Amino acid sequence: MSSSRPSKKRKLTPPQSDDEGSSHKTGAKVQKAFFKNASTWNLEEQYEDKARKGKKSKEKENTRLPLKLPGGRVQPFAAPVVDDVKDVESDDDWLEGEELSADEAGEEPVEAQPEIPEYQQIKEAKEELAKIASLLNEDPGENAGAFKALGKIGASKIPTIVMLTLATQLSVYKDLIPGYRIRPVAEDNSKEKLSKDVRRLRTYEDSLVSGYQAYVRELTKYTKAGKRQDSGMASDIAGVAMTCACTLLTSVPHFNFRSELIKILVRKCSSRRVDNDFNKCLQAFQTLFQEDQEGRPSMEAASLLSKMMKAKEYQVDESVVNLFLHLRLLSDFSGKGSKDTVDRDDDGLNRKKPKAKKVFRNKKERKEMKEQRALDKDMAHADALVSSEERDRMQNDTLKLVFATYFRILKLRVPHLMGAVLEGLSKYAANINQDFFGDLLEALKDLIRHSDADQAADEAAEADDDDTPLRNTTREALLCTVTAFTLLAGQDAHNSRADLHLDLSFFTTHLWQTLFPLALHPDLELGARSLHLPDPDAPQASTAVKARSDNKVNLQTTTVLLIRCLTAILLPPFNVRSVPPLRLAAFAKQLMGASLHVPEKSAQAILALLADVGSTHGRKIAALWNTEERKGDGTYNPVSESVEGSNPYAATVWEGEILRRHYCPKVREGVRVVQKHLEQR
């Protein structure tokens, strides 16, 4: 067994030498020293200090043939390895390097799309606007989102597209705005169960209101931008926006965001620069005041106009103040008030309604009646119907705003607005409270007293500055006189003259003193809209020909105002017999002398007034036409400071014989009519 088994071979190892033992001991020492030094290493700092290297790109497949070496050995071809990513110093550089490597790798940059020509964009915008407008006109309920689409088209930077969008939105909203004001849905009713049709209608109304609100904001933005910028395109867009705002205010004044539209127009009216947009705003306000049957839009507009004028310290154009003359207060409102209070007639709001006879109703009937009243109230609000009491209340507030504005201007004596204020006071004199008569008459007297000094100052300012408007103190004095006598003519103040201590002799005396200068005035028959060539010798008008401003309110000429004043003095409507004979004779003599100097139309008006005076007071003035019936002694003084001091009965009307040979046939006929009335008396 032992002989058949192979013997185990032993591995012979050479004996270890002394050098090898020493080397083993040295390696242990080196390892120990290595670990000892490794405890002091800072690997993180070394890693940060070490320059980063990008990853090498993956080796591409080698497609070249192998090389045969001289010894016969075959060796594959090894291409040199090139790093695609360069060393970078930071993360940002690494990212830039990645982008750069990507570009170098062969990625093509995205080409910019070619810019569409402007005319092509305008054409596409026209087609899109026409398409959206057609959809809204066909079925606005199904295309409620089209309102927002219209606004997006208007966000273009091309001015033509902006103007087209504004005009398209104007046409769309004018056609689709209902005849009632849309109220917001209450929070309590937002979760109530609604039918499909009602929910659809509410969704459409919400879209309409939100789109209309965005449109009004755009109009406000463009009108403000046009005011700040003087460029042609900005002014064109501002003009279109102003036209749209004026059209909306006059077309749909009952709808939402009316105050924002009024603010746009008031902001334009605050400018002293009169241009086409300014006239559009004036015309829009006039239309609003004349066609307003509710009263609330007029009150809002008057309130904003008065606040604007007060903030501007009344440095506005005269035509803005004249807007108040177009209010319907002159025809619809019969109350009387001032800047603080308004008195109403017995037939107005203070009248108590008679109590209705009480009818017995059970609980169910009372509940049904209550629901019916609530329903009627909602329907009246939806139909924009305003009761007479509510309309009177709003007209009261409007009247107080108008008087407050007039009295502030009258107190400040704004030169270029005095004519407009006096014109308004003369028209609204029938609506002024009697308790305010005394203060108003004193203000009018004070204005006439200082008219000469103010006129001298204005002439000096006009000589220094050609752009300074010249006050017409003659017209202002006549307007003061008309206002003073209208206060008595339109009310029952003549019955309480003693209690109110009203004395109008100051106005009569002033008119007497200015009658001859008025007869020699060259602009006696020229109105506010008349063209007039100024005196070439005047220093302020030697350079250019000036035309009067196009004023559509103050159309009465100086002759018309003079005849109104004389009619109020000589033929008062409240008590004709109260006129003293001495006053009648003095004015009759003075007017016959003035007829020799005035133009033919003014002469006809004066003779017609004398004919009425002769038919009413013929016996009191007939002695002036008869030299044998002289009632006075002494001499006649036509330039006397008072009417009574002129001594008219000491003179005769010799001017009639000259007027008989006047070149105008109508003047000759007027003289014969005057004498005919006197002979009948």
Side-chain angles (χ1 to χ4, degrees):
M1 293 290 295
S2 61
S3 58
S4 62
R5 180 179 296 173
S7 60
K8 184 177 182 180
K9 294 183 180 181
R10 295 181 180 180
K11 186 177 181 181
L12 298 177
T13 55
Q16 186 176 3
S17 62
D18 296 339
D19 297 337
E20 291 178 358
S22 62
S23 62
H24 178 70
K25 293 179 180 179
T26 303
K29 291 180 180 180
V30 172
Q31 184 177 6
K32 185 177 182 180
F34 172 78
F35 286 116
K36 185 178 180 180
N37 294 332
S39 62
T40 62
W41 291 351
N42 191 350
L43 300 179
E44 295 180 359
E45 184 177 355
Q46 292 179 2
Y47 181 77
E48 292 179 358
D49 295 338
K50 185 179 180 181
R52 298 181 180 179
K53 295 183 179 180
K55 297 180 180 180
K56 295 183 179 180
S57 59
K58 296 182 180 180
E59 296 182 358
K60 298 182 180 180
E61 184 180 358
N62 192 2
T63 59
R64 296 190 179 186
L65 296 175
L67 299 176
K68 188 175 182 181
L69 300 178
R73 189 165 56 91
V74 178
Q75 180 181 355
F77 178 80
V81 179
V82 181
D83 294 340
D84 292 339
V85 181
K86 300 179 181 179
D87 295 342
V88 291
E89 297 181 354
S90 63
D91 295 338
D92 296 336
D93 296 338
W94 181 79
L95 292 174
E96 293 176 0
E98 286 291 332
E99 295 175 359
L100 183 61
S101 62
D103 295 337
E104 293 175 354
E107 294 183 3
E108 297 181 357
V110 180
E111 296 182 359
Q113 296 181 357
E115 185 177 357
I116 303 176
E118 184 175 339
Y119 71 90
Q120 184 67 23
Q121 297 183 34
I122 295 174
K123 182 179 179 181
E124 294 177 358
K126 286 182 179 179
E127 295 176 355
E128 188 67 20
L129 289 172
K131 179 181 178 181
I132 296 175
S134 300
L135 291 175
L136 286 173
N137 287 330
E138 290 175 1
D139 193 354
E142 293 293 336
N143 302 281
F147 296 109
K148 189 177 294 185
L150 282 176
K152 290 182 179 179
I153 298 176
S156 175
K157 296 182 180 180
I158 301 177
T160 306
I161 296 179
V162 175
M163 291 186 285
L164 287 173
T165 306
L166 294 178
T168 305
Q169 287 177 297
L170 171 65
S171 177
V172 168
Y173 286 119
K174 278 183 60 179
D175 294 339
L176 298 183
I177 286 178
Y180 55 89
R181 183 184 181 91
I182 298 177
R183 295 179 295 170
V185 180
E187 297 180 358
D188 300 337
N189 300 332
S190 59
K191 298 181 180 180
E192 64 180 354
K193 294 182 179 180
L194 302 174
S195 62
K196 184 178 179 180
D197 295 338
V198 174
R199 191 176 300 278
R200 177 186 175 188
L201 179 60
R202 282 192 177 181
T203 303
Y204 164 70
E205 289 181 346
D206 292 342
S207 301
L208 175 63
V209 172
S210 60
Y212 185 70
Q213 183 181 15
Y215 178 54
V216 174
R217 288 176 179 173
E218 290 293 318
L219 295 179
T220 306
K221 181 184 71 174
Y222 287 123
T223 51
K224 288 182 178 179
K227 186 177 181 181
R228 292 192 300 264
Q229 301 176 5
D230 295 333
S231 60
M233 287 299 180
S235 60
D236 292 342
I237 297 177
V240 173
M242 190 64 66
T243 303
C244 295
C246 296
T247 306
L248 286 176
L249 184 61
T250 55
S251 301
V252 287
H254 62 277
F255 198 60
N256 303 49
F257 310 109
R258 176 181 57 221
S259 301
E260 283 73 10
L261 294 175
I262 295 176
K263 289 178 182 178
I264 295 175
L265 274 65
V266 170
R267 190 181 302 110
K268 182 61 180 178
C269 291
S270 63
S271 175
R272 293 293 300 273
R273 179 183 177 185
V274 179
D275 52 5
N276 191 22
D277 293 340
F278 186 88
N279 294 328
K280 288 180 183 177
C281 295
L282 295 181
Q283 187 64 33
F285 276 126
Q286 293 176 13
T287 305
L288 178 67
F289 290 157
Q290 293 172 355
E291 298 180 357
D292 181 24
Q293 298 181 357
E294 179 184 356
R296 193 180 301 276
S298 298
M299 184 185 68
E300 292 182 4
S303 176
L304 291 176
L305 285 172
S306 61
K307 290 180 180 178
M308 179 271 293
M309 287 187 281
K310 185 177 180 181
K312 297 282 290 186
E313 296 181 353
Y314 300 99
Q315 298 301 319
V316 296
D317 192 78
E318 181 185 8
S319 56
V320 180
V321 183
N322 288 332
L323 287 175
F324 292 150
L325 297 178
H326 296 275
L327 291 167
R328 300 189 64 174
L329 298 174
L330 295 175
S331 58
D332 294 349
F333 187 66
S334 59
K336 300 175 178 62
S338 62
K339 62 180 181 179
D340 300 322
T341 59
V342 175
D343 296 336
R344 306 179 185 88
D345 298 333
D346 295 337
D347 296 335
L349 301 179
N350 291 337
R351 186 179 62 180
K352 294 183 179 179
K353 297 181 179 179
K355 293 183 179 181
K357 186 177 180 180
K358 190 174 182 180
V359 180
F360 175 76
R361 294 182 179 88
N362 55 26
K363 185 176 181 180
K364 183 178 180 181
E365 292 176 348
R366 290 196 300 268
K367 184 178 180 180
E368 292 177 354
M369 180 175 288
K370 185 177 180 181
E371 293 176 354
Q372 185 64 30
R373 288 177 181 175
L375 181 60
D376 294 341
K377 184 178 180 181
D378 292 341
M379 291 298 295
H381 193 282
D383 294 340
L385 296 177
V386 182
S387 62
S388 59
E389 296 181 359
E390 183 70 14
R391 184 170 56 252
D392 290 343
R393 184 188 65 81
M394 289 184 290
Q395 289 183 346
N396 291 341
D397 297 338
T398 306
L399 187 64
K400 288 189 288 186
L401 290 171
V402 172
F403 282 151
T405 303
Y406 282 163
F407 296 151
R408 289 195 190 103
I409 297 175
L410 194 63
K411 183 179 180 180
L412 295 175
R413 290 185 193 168
V414 183
H416 63 285
L417 298 182
M418 295 307 299
V421 171
L422 293 173
E423 185 82 17
L425 287 176
S426 64
K427 286 185 176 293
Y428 286 110
N431 299 99
I432 298 178
N433 195 335
Q434 295 183 10
D435 298 336
F436 202 71
F437 282 0
D439 297 336
L440 182 57
L441 291 178
E442 289 298 326
L444 296 176
K445 292 178 183 178
D446 188 62
L447 183 63
I448 293 177
R449 292 191 189 101
H450 295 84
S451 60
D452 296 335
D454 294 341
Q455 185 176 10
D458 290 340
E459 289 177 355
E462 179 72 12
D464 298 337
D465 188 5
D466 293 342
D467 296 334
T468 304
L470 184 63
R471 286 180 59 185
N472 191 349
T473 54
T474 303
R475 181 182 180 85
E476 291 179 9
L478 292 175
L479 285 171
C480 290
T481 305
V482 169
T483 304
F485 282 94
T486 309
L487 291 175
L488 301 181
Q491 308 186 40
D492 296 333
H494 62 277
N495 296 329
S496 57
R497 294 178 65 180
D499 299 335
L500 297 176
H501 303 285
L502 299 178
D503 185 12
L504 302 181
S505 59
F506 173 83
F507 301 98
T508 304
T509 304
H510 182 269
L511 183 63
W512 163 263
Q513 295 174 356
T514 58
L515 194 56
F516 268 143
L518 280 174
L520 302 176
H521 200 280
D523 298 339
L524 192 64
E525 293 185 353
L526 293 179
R529 298 178 62 182
S530 303
L531 295 177
H532 175 60
L533 295 177
D535 187 4
D537 298 332
Q540 67 271 15
S542 59
T543 57
V545 176
K546 298 181 180 180
R548 295 180 181 268
S549 60
D550 187 11
N551 196 324
K552 298 182 180 181
V553 177
N554 297 324
L555 302 180
Q556 295 181 346
T557 62
T558 307
T559 301
V560 175
L561 292 177
L562 177 61
I563 296 300
R564 288 180 61 185
C565 295
L566 293 172
T567 304
I569 293 174
L570 303 179
L571 299 172
F574 46 85
N575 192 358
V576 179
R577 297 181 180 180
S578 63
V579 184
L582 194 61
R583 180 184 301 176
L584 292 170
F587 272 99
K589 171 62 178 174
Q590 197 85 319
L591 289 175
M592 289 298 293
S595 300
L596 298 175
H597 308 284
V598 298
E600 56 178 275
K601 293 183 180 179
S602 300
Q604 297 174 26
I606 291 175
L607 292 175
L609 174 64
L610 288 176
D612 294 338
V613 173
S615 62
T616 306
H617 305 283
R619 295 180 181 179
K620 297 179 181 179
I621 61 175
L624 297 176
W625 275 262
N626 192 348
T627 57
E628 298 179 356
E629 296 183 3
R630 296 180 60 183
K631 295 184 179 180
D633 298 329
T635 58
Y636 171 65
N637 185 12
V639 293
S640 175
E641 295 183 357
S642 61
V643 180
E644 291 77 9
S646 63
N647 194 14
Y649 286 110
T652 56
V653 182
W654 53 268
E655 294 87 357
E657 299 300 324
I658 299 178
L659 290 174
R660 287 177 181 273
R661 295 170 175 80
H662 199 275
Y663 69 91
C664 180
K666 294 184 179 180
V667 174
R668 298 195 296 266
E669 181 64 24
V671 174
R672 288 193 291 268
V673 172
V674 172
Q675 293 184 352
K676 180 179 179 181
H677 284 291
L678 293 175
E679 291 174 358
Q680 292 178 356
R681 290 291 178 178

